[in-house]
Amino acid sequence: MSKTLRGPAERTLNLLREPPDEPDVSAGYLDLLGASAEKSPSLAQSVMESTFLPRIYEKVWRPIGFNLAKGWPLGPDTAEEHAMARDWLGLSQPGYAARPPATVLDMACGPGNVTRALAAGVGATGLVVGLDASETMLTRAVADTPHGDPVAYVRGDAVDLPFRGEAFDAVCCFGALYLFEDPWAALDGMTRVLKPGGNLIILTSRRPLPTPRLGAELLRRATGFTAFGDREITRALTDRGYTALRHRRYPLMQVAAARRP
């Protein structure tokens, strides 16, 4: 069953490589996977697709787990993290009169907490698209997003992105790259959909001490979680031609941002 698309959802449809003839937005988000989508076999992805995690993600999981991994109270809290994302992506801050009419992708958006934070930094004609494969996460995202926000949600493949090339002014991937089976393919996809001159920001895991390659690979195979070394993310960005690199390291996490030439 599908509904008539309007507002942000209708604008999102125009960003797709192959828009469906009958878009399914019956759950409040644009579903491009349907019932045939395969579930991820990894432990980490299974947790993200559970029905329990979306209920505690924004108030418990994210503020406690992420803030501790960033070295709280010395590291940035959630509000500072969101402000950094808006700033490094070239967006505005909440309450500012001048907000860019930017089109932004929030990769693996989960319950939409970062998506809504990014939407606070774009103008009325801007658009933030949150993409995730989890039905439970997107259901929560839709429920928690105020009507009238310049936000649309898409259920789709984060590695094989459904959007046309150079569709977005900015791309954000917070707390997800380490869950992808092939994170570099995901980074290639983000690069493909980002406009030249557009900004990309990634918040991901950090391996604080040198770890034998075998140990890191065993962790990834057992849990689906990748712990990245200090230079892996920055090297991947520069190898793809990104410039204006910014990088901050925390005890167990790191933030990297750069501009596509």
Side-chain angles (χ1 to χ4, degrees):
M1 180 182 178
S2 62
K3 297 178 180 178
T4 300
L5 270 72
R6 53 177 69 91
E10 182 178 14
R11 294 166 58 196
T12 300
L13 198 66
N14 295 326
L15 301 175
L16 299 179
R17 285 183 300 183
E18 300 178 0
D21 293 331
E22 296 185 6
D24 182 3
V25 290
S26 57
Y29 52 81
L30 178 60
D31 193 344
L32 300 178
L33 296 180
S36 62
E38 295 182 1
K39 296 293 183 181
S40 170
S42 77
L43 175 62
Q45 285 288 2
S46 296
V47 171
M48 298 304 291
E49 294 175 359
S50 69
T51 57
F52 175 69
L53 185 58
R55 295 199 296 265
I56 67 166
Y57 188 91
E58 190 165 359
K59 294 185 178 180
V60 179
W61 178 281
R62 187 76 184 233
I64 294 178
F66 276 56
N67 288 353
L68 288 176
K70 290 179 293 183
W72 187 88
L74 299 179
D77 60 18
T78 302
E80 292 169 321
E81 173 191 313
H82 291 168
M84 180 194 302
R86 289 187 293 262
D87 181 37
W88 288 14
L89 288 176
L91 308 180
S92 185
Q93 298 297 337
Y96 284 29
R99 300 184 190 180
T103 301
V104 184
L105 173 62
D106 183 19
M107 276 272 290
C109 65
N113 53 312
V114 175
T115 315
R116 293 186 293 276
L118 296 176
V122 304
T125 58
L127 174 67
V128 182
V129 179
L131 179 135
D132 206 286
S134 170
E135 295 174 272
T136 56
M137 285 290 188
L138 289 174
T139 297
R140 183 74 191 196
V142 170
D144 289 350
T145 299
H147 180 72
D149 276 13
V151 170
Y153 293 104
V154 175
R155 182 169 176 249
D157 189 335
V159 175
D160 184 16
L161 288 171
F163 307 105
R164 53 181 170 77
E166 302 180 3
F168 294 94
D169 299 300
V171 175
C172 177
C173 183
F174 266 28
L177 193 69
Y178 48 72
L179 298 176
F180 298 145
E181 184 176 354
D182 189 343
W184 311 127
L187 180 56
D188 287 336
M190 289 185 257
T191 302
R192 180 184 63 80
V193 303
L194 182 61
K195 294 178 182 178
N199 294 311
L200 167 71
I201 189 168
I202 296 171
L203 169 67
T204 191
S205 59
R206 175 178 178 251
R207 192 169 66 243
L209 298 173
T211 303
R213 185 177 297 273
L214 178 59
E217 179 62 17
L218 288 175
L219 173 66
R220 188 191 69 79
R221 293 195 178 195
T223 65
F225 181 93
T226 300
F228 295 106
D230 280 353
R231 296 187 60 193
E232 283 187 86
I233 302 299
T234 55
R235 186 185 302 117
L237 291 171
T238 55
D239 285 350
R240 288 161 175 79
Y242 281 86
T243 61
L245 185 69
R246 299 183 182 186
H247 188 218
R248 289 188 184 175
R249 296 177 295 173
Y250 306 108
L252 296 175
M253 303 204 86
Q254 57 183 309
V255 181
R259 180 177 302 119
R260 182 186 171 188

